[in-house]
Amino acid sequence: MQSAVTTTALRREFKPRKRGLDPITALDDVSLAVEPGEIHGLLGPNGAGKTTLVKILSTILTPTSGTATVLGHDVVEDPGAVRRVIGLVFGGDRGLYTLLSARHNLEYWAALYGVPSRDTGSRIDALLARVGLTRRADDRVETYSRGMRQRLHLARGLISDPEVLFLDEPTVGLDPVASLEFRQLVMTLREEGKTIFLTTHDMGEAEAICDRVSLIDRGALLATEGPETLGRWITAYERVEARGVTDDAATMVSGLPGVMSTQRLPDGTLRIETAVTGVVRPIMEALLAAGVTELGTRPPSLEEVYLRVFGDRGLQV
Amino acid sequence: MSRYLAGFRMQLRAGIRTPSYWMTILTTPAQTILFLSVITAFDRPDLTAHAVIAPAVVSMWGASVWTGGAIVRNDRWGAMLELHAATPTSYAVPVIGRMSATLLLSLAAIPLAMATAWLTFGLDVGVRHPWVLAAALVVTTAAMVSTALIFTSMTVLSRAAITFQNSASYPILLLGGAFVPLDLLPGWVHPIGRLIFLSWGTDLVRDSITAATVEDLWLRLGMVLLLGAAGLAAGTRLLRMVMHRVTVTGEISVA
């Protein structure tokens, strides 16, 4: 079966405006395949090359070398064919005409995607209902909350009924509730057979909705894993934080099996880093036994996971 | 056509709420008073129509060039330029639609200049051939949009194109006979000026107001359309080229 998206030895360099400086490599030898109907996550920290890859795949940036195809269409040789089968959604506040209503925004983009006039009205109504904006459809976008704008972004990306949808950090800046709602919307698209390529720096998000996740850093693809592997990493490198821990108790905890390090934060909180799975519970039990009652667990940051899993191949924290 | 109309409708909806698109029209009364003061001081009532048409044409051309640039600047800052590049439609099509909508609004500069003449100097600028005036304004407006697309392309290429726009569009006004008819300029300028649609358009507009008979009407209308079409072809091609270029350089976005 043909992959929905493929990249082969994809490379993109940016020439600095200042003469004499070396080109900046945003993508370096990236090869990946996204299967039809899957939600494929591209996980990486800021500046890893995620947006650059999405821009190349959506034909708004050309690669320096290598090839990329979407549903078999080369993004450089046949960008017009690619544009007819993709939708593109950015995260953040940009990308909408805020003086217009949601309906008028969608009407505009529908025309640009060549949606037949007779279908435009019904398609817009259906999309607005789907993203929960029917009641506010005729209000100006500038009056929308951040979450509403992001749902409108998604509706805009779906206006041409694309087979492949690119979502570039779609939940950045959203509150947890709005993020959850947005993820649920994305998951309903998978049920319709759409291929979704989503970039994120949120491991929890990637684990929650992606079928596979490619990890990228400094322009290089490090690995492609299933969400269960991400879940394992998150659990393995979970940390415990506790307040009101005496020095004696801290010394006791640092000697427990599976504890990698302990660190006293400026506000007095004791942070306990773990090295293997299954040690959080005994650590917390030991702290409780020592009379500590203010304690909890924290997931590791993406940077920490990269450093621990990929070592020197991953980024420097 | 539906894509052009989508841009047209969108600009009417958003443009009315965005004064920067049509603010240049508001300069018309002040410029009209300035021009009328000069011809009154030199006792040249025969030039009244010239003094009224000049500021209106200057406003309209300013609106077309400014709008094209503002559309690109706003689209670039709002990340809409990238979203346009990801659609199957050439960016030129909705941009032309949007500029057309602003130019339609800017036609208000003509009655505004006439009203200013009447209110401030008591001058009644009668129109001898209203249908010719209407036809001349339609084709001249269309040619303005088409030619301004060339300047719009420059805005895509350079983020600091506003200076270029302002300085490069001034010769169009001068050679196009917007301030004074081309016939009153030095002879060596005439061949150059006749290559600019505006010289045919403004002459026709003035004749529709003052001339007893309008000679060579179809030829002159045709010349405005022909030169406007040439501007459209050049502008569309240029815009396509620069859009491709910014996808290569990565300058399509501000991030």
Side-chain angles (χ1 to χ4, degrees):
Chain A
M1 186 168 55
Q2 183 189 51
S3 295
V5 176
T6 64
T7 70
T8 308
L10 203 62
R11 182 177 180 83
R12 172 70 208 200
E13 292 177 349
F14 288 98
K15 206 179 285 182
R17 282 172 177 263
K18 201 171 177 181
R19 288 186 182 179
L21 295 178
D22 291 333
I24 299 160
T25 303
L27 287 178
D28 186 13
D29 196 28
V30 171
S31 299
L32 63 80
V34 178
E35 301 310 318
E38 87 168 316
I39 299 181
H40 194 106
L42 185 65
L43 179 67
N46 291 334
K50 304 186 295 294
T51 297
T52 300
L53 183 52
V54 166
K55 285 182 177 178
I56 289 174
L57 293 172
S58 53
T59 77
I60 57 181
L61 191 65
T62 56
T64 305
S65 62
T67 58
T69 65
V70 178
L71 297 177
H73 306 294
D74 190 287
V75 296
V76 175
E77 300 296 324
D78 196 3
V82 174
R83 290 167 190 162
R84 280 188 282 275
V85 296
I86 64 165
L88 175 61
V89 175
F90 290 141
D93 275 336
R94 302 192 308 153
L96 295 168
Y97 290 105
T98 55
L99 290 177
L100 300 181
S101 67
R103 189 183 302 282
H104 289 157
N105 265 281
L106 294 177
E107 278 178 9
Y108 177 70
W109 291 105
L112 265 51
Y113 275 100
V115 177
S117 307
R118 62 182 176 279
D119 298 337
T120 301
S122 57
R123 190 176 294 187
I124 289 173
D125 286 342
L127 280 171
L128 288 169
R130 179 172 201 164
V131 299
L133 289 176
T134 302
R135 287 180 60 193
R136 299 287 307 273
D138 298 310
D139 294 344
R140 282 194 223 169
V141 172
E142 65 184 357
T143 66
Y144 285 13
S145 68
R146 179 75 187 77
M148 290 167 69
R149 289 182 191 211
Q150 198 54 46
R151 282 182 275 149
L152 179 57
H153 271 304
L154 183 63
R156 199 203 64 79
L158 292 169
I159 194 70
S160 62
D161 193 21
E163 292 176 66
V164 179
L165 188 63
F166 295 107
L167 305 175
D168 187 18
E169 304 251 17
T171 58
V172 69
L174 292 187
D175 62 53
V177 175
S179 293
L180 184 64
E181 286 174 353
F182 191 86
R183 288 171 198 161
Q184 285 167 342
L185 276 171
V186 172
M187 283 194 280
T188 64
L189 297 172
R190 172 172 46 196
E191 292 161 17
E192 296 172 12
K194 293 196 187 301
T195 304
I196 295 164
F197 189 78
L198 172 144
T199 75
T200 181
H201 62 262
D202 182 340
M203 275 191 302
E205 178 170 86
E207 184 202 3
I209 65 172
C210 294
D211 299 305
R212 286 190 306 150
V213 181
S214 292
L215 297 105
I216 188 170
D217 183 46
R218 287 181 289 187
L221 210 59
L222 303 175
T224 295
E225 303 286 351
E228 66 284 349
T229 305
L230 282 184
R232 208 161 49 238
W233 289 342
I234 293 170
T235 308
Y237 305 123
E238 208 168 30
R239 63 167 70 121
V240 177
E241 289 185 357
R243 293 170 65 86
V245 184
T246 61
D247 289 343
D248 288 344
T251 307
M252 178 270 294
V253 166
S254 64
L256 290 174
V259 172
M260 193 172 77
S261 66
T262 58
Q263 179 191 2
R264 187 74 78 173
L265 301 181
D267 67 349
T269 300
L270 186 72
R271 174 177 289 173
I272 304 143
E273 306 277 3
T274 65
V276 291
T277 54
V279 298
V280 168
R281 187 187 172 103
I283 291 170
M284 294 183 85
E285 285 175 349
L287 286 168
L288 284 168
V292 178
T293 54
E294 267 189 87
L295 71 170
T297 58
R298 298 276 184 279
S301 69
L302 177 61
E303 288 79 0
E304 287 165 340
V305 170
Y306 267 45
L307 193 62
R308 293 195 190 185
V309 175
F310 301 108
D312 289 341
R313 286 199 301 142
L315 81 172
Q316 305 289 321
V317 174
Chain B
M1 192 62 182
S2 64
R3 299 164 200 224
Y4 165 83
L5 289 175
F8 187 89
R9 277 195 300 268
M10 188 270 248
Q11 188 68 15
L12 279 186
R13 286 164 177 156
I16 287 171
R17 297 172 181 143
T18 314
S20 64
Y21 284 125
W22 43 263
M23 195 69 92
T24 54
I25 303 165
L26 300 183
T27 64
T28 305
Q31 289 199 50
T32 306
I33 291 169
L34 179 71
F35 279 83
L36 286 172
S37 300
V38 173
I39 66 155
T40 304
F42 288 90
D43 195 23
R44 293 292 303 271
D46 55 310
L47 294 177
T48 301
H50 295 69
V52 170
I53 293 304
V57 169
V58 170
S59 292
M60 290 171 64
W61 175 247
S64 61
V65 173
W66 172 260
T67 299
I71 286 170
V72 171
R73 279 191 298 278
N74 294 342
D75 279 357
R76 193 198 292 274
W77 280 103
M80 275 84 82
L81 193 58
E82 295 164 272
L83 293 174
H84 277 94
T87 71
T89 299
S90 164
Y91 186 49
V93 179
V95 168
I96 293 169
R98 295 178 65 182
M99 290 166 70
S100 303
T102 303
L103 260 286
L104 184 72
L105 295 176
S106 79
L107 280 170
I110 300 282
L112 194 57
M114 289 179 170
T116 303
W118 184 70
L119 287 170
T120 56
F121 288 85
L123 297 169
D124 185 9
V125 184
V127 179
R128 290 191 174 201
H129 310 280
W131 289 109
V132 174
L133 175 63
L137 286 175
V138 167
V139 294
T140 305
T141 304
M144 276 186 184
V145 171
S146 307
T147 308
L149 197 61
I150 296 170
F151 295 90
T152 303
S153 310
M154 296 296 109
T155 318
V156 177
L157 202 56
S158 167
R159 296 177 198 180
I162 194 161
T163 310
F164 168 79
Q165 270 186 358
N166 287 339
S167 52
S169 68
Y170 192 78
I172 302 276
L173 289 170
L174 186 66
L175 296 171
F179 300 116
V180 290
L182 191 60
D183 290 342
L184 298 182
L185 294 176
W188 62 270
V189 172
H190 295 188
I192 307 168
R194 285 299 168 207
L195 292 175
I196 296 171
F197 75 94
L198 201 56
S199 64
W200 299 86
T202 49
D203 279 357
L204 201 50
V205 168
R206 276 189 286 259
D207 281 1
S208 73
I209 294 171
T210 59
T213 55
V214 179
E215 294 175 0
D216 301 325
L217 173 64
W218 296 111
L219 171 71
R220 294 160 78 183
L221 285 174
M223 285 306 294
V224 178
L225 284 175
L226 182 69
L227 293 169
L232 180 65
T236 306
R237 183 172 168 75
L238 203 56
L239 189 53
R240 191 183 304 127
M241 285 167 61
V242 297
M243 283 295 283
H244 176 70
R245 181 173 162 73
V246 292
T247 63
V248 173
T249 61
E251 290 172 321
I252 192 167
S253 62
V254 289

